[in-house]
């Protein structure tokens, strides 16, 4: 069974290779400490395959080894496709042969109370079963924004999140195309629809989206995020999501409530302006295709993790990135920040002390700055700015206004898939199911799942 808590976040099965913005060598990394001895201690570091992130980790490893001559780092990687990454990490944990392990970060709202009887899944299972070292008292945790201390459970913090992206709510746009027709980046829902209408009147397809792989869900989930968080400070996100989950579980809220009907109406209005063949567009090629068509498709639905990919596909493209304006108030159309890579130390590690030294090393300010620049990640350290790349002007100004991406309602593992919410590929305009019917089916499925 897939990890349901990530179902509101469309993330490509292949981890996108992003272009590093500069040549970095291990010697430039901030290192301290030394070691000696004839035999070397092995430290095993494991993460899923992402070209830029893996290359940066290798540079960290080389610099750490230089500072600790008696240490040898062994790196393990696997792609997320075809269950390869879960298989590798399960093998490493079972054999107790991993010291620093990457995980997809979890928010506190992902953990249903034990009284519900709903079992957590994936990373949340490992945290709840105390298979990771509590990092709460580690000095390096003070470098990070406490509002982004996801991986928390019952007073402990079981990972340090070093990567975050805007996924749900994510939209790229072509600056020159908007300028050509005297249009501005929309800040409210009505402005967005007006801009899309204007492009249609010029014979332009407003929105490019990888419909074959369900990337239209970024729009649907992004609108839901913004309606849930409308009028609320970013720091209240987890409490908002927890309250929603509690109300779903108690039968006080469900998918047929006005908020979700409003979201579905706004989603359908936006989807009227997608390119005609969206259902056949795969995520693998979508960034490059959008980048190459500089005179059409002013908007592109995708996460910020693909920004450097777009820039590499067409270096001359003048483009930017902003959040779907899903509400009628510009102040509340903020980016939803998707927790991504978090580093953990398994309690089964035979080199816990060394593993903690490694985490301290890679999260030092200068070293972490190189990580966010190489990966295109939003910074989770207040002392390290989000990279100022050619397409990140809006992000640089607005990332600190964002909030942690919404967690799903607590759903039993054996529930029907639609209990987690609408499946956009089945619903209009991609499928034949009406949104009223879809929301009704989702509500019935969720109610049935918690009454078993």
């Amino acid at each position: 069974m897939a990890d349901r808590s990530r179902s509101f976040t469309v993330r490509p099965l292949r981890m996108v290779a992003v272009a590093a913005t500069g040549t970095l060598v291990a010697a430039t990394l901030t290192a301290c400490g030394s070691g000696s001895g004839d035999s070397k201690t092995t430290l095993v570091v494991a993460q899923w395959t992402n070209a830029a992130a893996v290359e940066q980790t290798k540079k960290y490893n080389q610099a750490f080894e230089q500072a600790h001559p008696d240490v040898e780092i062994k790196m393990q990687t696997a792609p997320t496709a075809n269950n390869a990454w879960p298989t590798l990490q399960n093998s490493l944990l079972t054999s107790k042969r991993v010291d620093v392990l990457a995980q997809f970060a979890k928010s506190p709202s992902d953990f249903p109370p034990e009284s519900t009887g709903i079992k957590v899944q994936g990373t949340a299972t490992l945290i709840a079963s105390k298979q990771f070292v509590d990092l709460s008292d580690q000095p390096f945790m003070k470098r990070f924004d406490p509002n982004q201390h996801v991986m928390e459970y019952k007073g402990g913090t079981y990972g340090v999140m070093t990567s975050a992206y805007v996924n749900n709510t994510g939209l790229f746009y072509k600056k020159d195309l908007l300028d050509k027709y005297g249009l501005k980046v929309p800040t409210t829902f009505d402005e967005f629809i007006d801009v899309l209408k204007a492009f249609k009147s010029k014979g332009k397809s407003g929105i490019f989206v990888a419909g074959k792989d369900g990337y239209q869900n970024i729009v649907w989930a992004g609108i839901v995020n913004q309606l849930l968080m409308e009028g609320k400070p970013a720091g209240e996100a987890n409490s908002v999501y927890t309250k929603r989950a509690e109300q779903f579980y108690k039968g006080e809220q469900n998918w047929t409530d006005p908020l979700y009907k409003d979201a579905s109406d706004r989603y359908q209005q936006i989807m009227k302006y997608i390119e005609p063949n969206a259902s056949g567009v795969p995520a693998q090629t979508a960034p490059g295709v959008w980048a190459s068509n500089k005179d059409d498709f002013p908007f592109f639905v995708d996460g910020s993790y693909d920004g450097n990919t777009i820039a590499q596909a067409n270096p001359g493209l003048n483009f930017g990135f902003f959040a779907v304006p899903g509400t009628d108030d510009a102040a509340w159309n903020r980016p939803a920040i998707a927790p991504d890579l978090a580093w953990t130390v398994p309690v089964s590690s035979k080199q816990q002390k060394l593993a903690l030294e490694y985490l301290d090393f890679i999260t030092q300010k200068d070293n972490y700055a190189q990580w966010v620049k190489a990966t295109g990640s939003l910074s989770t350290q207040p002392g390290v700015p989000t990279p100022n790349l050619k397409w990140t002007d809006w992000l640089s100004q607005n990332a600190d206004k964002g909030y942690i991406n919404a967690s799903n309602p607590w759903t039993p593992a054996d529930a029907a898939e639609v209990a987690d919410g609408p499946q956009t590929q089945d619903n209009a305009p991609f499928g034949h199911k009406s949104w009223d019917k879809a929301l009704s089916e989702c509500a019935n499925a969720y109610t049935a799942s918690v009454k078993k």
Side-chain angles (χ1 to χ4, degrees), residues 109-180:
S109 52
D110 287 322
F111 296 87
E114 294 177 0
S115 60
T116 65
I118 296 176
K119 295 181 179 180
V120 293
Q121 303 167 65
T123 298
T125 300
L126 299 174
I127 294 174
S129 59
K130 303 292 180 68
Q131 294 195 47
F132 298 136
V133 173
D134 184 358
L135 305 179
S136 301
D137 296 330
Q138 294 300 318
F140 56 76
M141 293 301 296
K142 295 179 181 179
R143 297 170 182 153
F144 293 86
D145 181 355
N147 289 326
Q148 298 202 43
H149 281 180
V150 295
M151 303 292 281
E152 292 181 343
Y153 181 70
K154 292 186 176 180
T157 303
Y158 297 91
V160 53
M161 185 175 73
T162 57
S163 288
Y165 301 94
V166 176
N167 188 55
N168 296 337
T169 71
L171 271 181
F172 289 95
Y173 70 99
K174 292 170 179 167
K175 296 180 180 181
D176 291 344
L177 202 51
L178 267 69
D179 289 344
K180 180 178 179 179

Side-chain angles (χ1 to χ4, degrees), residues 60-88:
Y60 286 149
N61 295 348
Q62 183 180 354
F64 192 81
E65 288 175 338
Q66 289 177 352
H68 301 76
D70 57 345
V71 173
E72 179 181 24
I73 297 179
K74 181 178 180 182
M75 192 170 178
Q76 298 274 351
T77 65
T80 55
N82 301 318
N83 212 41
W85 168 248
T87 299
L88 174 62

Side-chain angles (χ1 to χ4, degrees), residues 18-30 45 47-64 73 75 77 162-163 165 341 343 358 361-377:
V18 294
T21 55
T23 301
L24 305 176
V25 295
T28 66
L29 294 165
T30 303
V45 176
Q47 69 185 99
W48 56 84
T49 303
N50 174 301
V54 168
E55 286 306 307
Q56 184 58 38
T57 302
K58 288 179 179 178
K59 291 169 184 175
Y60 286 149
N61 295 348
Q62 183 180 354
F64 192 81
I73 297 179
M75 192 170 178
T77 65
T162 57
S163 288
Y165 301 94
L341 190 150
W343 293 107
Y358 179 86
F361 167 70
I362 68 174
T363 60
Q364 290 172 20
K365 183 178 178 179
D366 290 344
N367 293 346
Y368 182 64
Q370 295 182 42
W371 172 269
V372 295
K373 186 176 182 180
T375 62
S377 168

Side-chain angles (χ1 to χ4, degrees), residues 181 183 191-204 273:
Y181 295 103
L183 299 170
E191 287 180 5
F192 189 28
I193 297 300
D194 286 343
V195 169
L196 290 170
K197 287 179 179 178
F199 275 115
K200 186 175 182 179
S201 72
K202 304 297 183 182
K204 306 295 181 183
Y273 301 95

